[in-house]
Amino acid sequence: MTYQCDEKKAGDVEFRCYFQLAIMVIGGKWKPKVLFHLGQNGAVRFGALRRAVFGISEKMLIQSLKELEKDGLVHRKVYRQVPPKVEYSLTDVGESFVPVLNAMYDWGRSYASYLIASQQSGCGFEAGKALQNLDELVKVAENSVA
Amino acid sequence: MTYQCDEKKAGDVEFRCYFQLAIMVIGGKWKPKVLFHLGQNGAVRFGALRRAVFGISEKMLIQSLKELEKDGLVHRKVYRQVPPKVEYSLTDVGESFVPVLNAMYDWGRSYASYLIASQQSGCGFEAGKALQNLDELVKVAENSVA
DNA sequence: TATGGTACTTACTAAAAGGTATGTATTGCG
DNA sequence: CGCAATACATACCTTTTAGTAAGTACCATA
């Protein structure tokens, strides 16, 4: 694998490296989070997804879903009813990315362990591994929430 | 796993979900690419890294490396010589992210296969798998490079 | 002392991404 | 027909990120 990869093309998409192609499709501030939530739950309504992805605006959710649908990772199903209902779900291509998302989640746990271990010397820690009582260690006391 | 995760804290870092923590540390336009290149090659000089990460400016490379060093994923070694030489390499924590980067690279290959298969019906394709002659199919003819 | 190469720092500008507010379309109920 | 709820579209503004250019520090050599 060379550094400055040659220009490549698949479909209408031009890229230099398969890694860059992946980043182009699922990178950015919101798309990874949207995909992650869709990966955790089957079909989800727009409103439920809006509430699930912490901090996202309507406009960015819509934009992210449009791009993911266009790129073939997300399926949009309209129910012609009252009130209006639209469900989003992952396609096979989208599902194939879920292991990567889960790997990132697992790495996040191991990184949280690393942060805690760095704060307390003598705390048994191995890179890539999560502490056993991690969920307890990261808990924030109720009254200290900003 | 709930949608709107409770606030968590590890070290000085506050987050709601381990996935979000991962995104905070290795997300953004350049850090994934910098990490990916460091993962492919051992210790790399600043200048070599600059040339390897296609399109990055000096300022953004420096900023990305500073953040990655601060977060414990990258190690910086200064050689006091002429001309000046600094080498960057992954720490154990950084190395632990390499499997995720490689998974993204592999997914990129399968996505490129999907794009090609979508363009040509009847082309055998399975989500998550790369076509066997992918590298040939994505090649761009010399004279068609923009 | 001047020099050159590398790896930065800093200030300012430009571009990209994201957010807010207002408005629209749709369906079926009362 | 009017209404309500949901899921958007659109325009404009704000924030964030990134890029460019000029400058600096360091070391050892000539």
Side-chain angles (χ1 to χ4, degrees), chain A residues 1-4 7-13 15-23 25-26 32-33 36-37 40-41 44 48 51-52 54 71-73 92-93 96-97 100-101 103-105 107-112 114-116 119 125 127-128 134-135 137-140 145, chain B residues 1-4 7-13 15-23 25-26 32-33 36-37 40-41 44 48 51-52 54 71-73 92-93 96-97 100-101 103-105 107-112 114-116 119 125 127-128 134-135 137-140 145:
Chain A
M1 202 186 308
T2 63
Y3 284 158
Q4 295 226 11
E7 188 84 7
K8 299 179 176 60
K9 186 171 181 178
D12 296 328
V13 184
F15 57 98
R16 287 186 173 269
C17 165
Y18 296 114
F19 182 77
Q20 183 206 345
L21 176 61
I23 293 287
V25 175
I26 50 75
K33 290 170 180 168
F36 184 69
H37 280 284
Q40 299 308 309
N41 315 271
V44 183
R51 291 186 284 281
F54 187 79
D71 292 335
L73 280 80
D92 285 345
V93 171
S96 73
F97 190 66
V100 181
L101 295 167
M104 287 180 65
Y105 176 87
W107 185 83
R109 285 178 59 85
S110 74
Y111 186 72
Y114 157 74
L115 290 176
I116 290 169
Q119 201 176 34
F125 167 74
L134 178 65
D135 291 325
L137 292 167
V138 297
K139 265 182 176 171
V140 169
V145 172
Chain B
M1 203 185 310
T2 63
Y3 283 158
Q4 298 228 9
E7 187 84 6
K8 298 181 176 67
K9 186 171 183 177
D12 295 327
V13 184
F15 57 98
R16 285 185 176 269
C17 164
Y18 296 113
F19 182 77
Q20 183 208 344
L21 176 61
I23 293 287
V25 175
I26 49 77
K33 291 170 180 168
F36 183 70
H37 280 285
Q40 300 308 311
N41 315 272
V44 183
R51 291 185 284 278
F54 188 79
D71 291 335
L73 280 79
D92 285 345
V93 172
S96 74
F97 191 66
V100 182
L101 294 167
M104 287 180 65
Y105 177 87
W107 186 84
R109 282 178 63 83
S110 74
Y111 186 72
Y114 158 76
L115 290 176
I116 289 168
Q119 201 176 35
F125 168 72
L134 178 65
D135 292 324
L137 292 167
V138 296
K139 266 182 176 173
V140 170
V145 173

Side-chain angles (χ1 to χ4, degrees), chain B residues 18-83:
Chain B
Y18 296 113
F19 182 77
Q20 183 208 344
L21 176 61
I23 293 287
M24 282 164 67
V25 175
I26 49 77
K29 181 173 177 179
W30 294 113
K31 285 195 278 188
K33 291 170 180 168
V34 170
L35 282 174
F36 183 70
H37 280 285
L38 286 174
Q40 300 308 311
N41 315 272
V44 183
R45 287 185 72 173
F46 177 86
L49 198 48
R50 170 86 193 285
R51 291 185 284 278
V53 183
F54 188 79
I56 200 168
S57 68
E58 235 170 71
K59 174 222 154 89
M60 286 317 299
L61 180 55
I62 289 159
Q63 182 182 305
S64 300
L65 287 168
K66 270 187 175 298
E67 287 176 28
L68 290 169
E69 188 190 0
K70 174 176 150 286
D71 291 335
L73 280 79
V74 157
H75 180 258
R76 177 174 185 269
K77 181 174 184 181
V78 179
Y79 295 82
R80 291 188 139 72
Q81 65 176 56
V82 175

Side-chain angles (χ1 to χ4, degrees), chain B residues 116-141:
Chain B
I116 289 168
S118 299
Q119 201 176 35
Q120 312 168 10
S121 61
C123 184
F125 168 72
E126 181 183 346
K129 296 283 198 293
L131 295 173
Q132 270 185 327
N133 52 339
L134 178 65
D135 292 324
E136 286 302 309
L137 292 167
V138 296
K139 266 182 176 173
V140 170

Side-chain angles (χ1 to χ4, degrees), chain A residues 43-60:
Chain A
V44 183
R45 288 184 73 174
F46 177 86
L49 198 46
R50 170 87 195 284
R51 291 186 284 281
V53 183
F54 187 79
I56 198 168
S57 68
E58 233 171 71
K59 170 221 159 91
M60 286 318 299

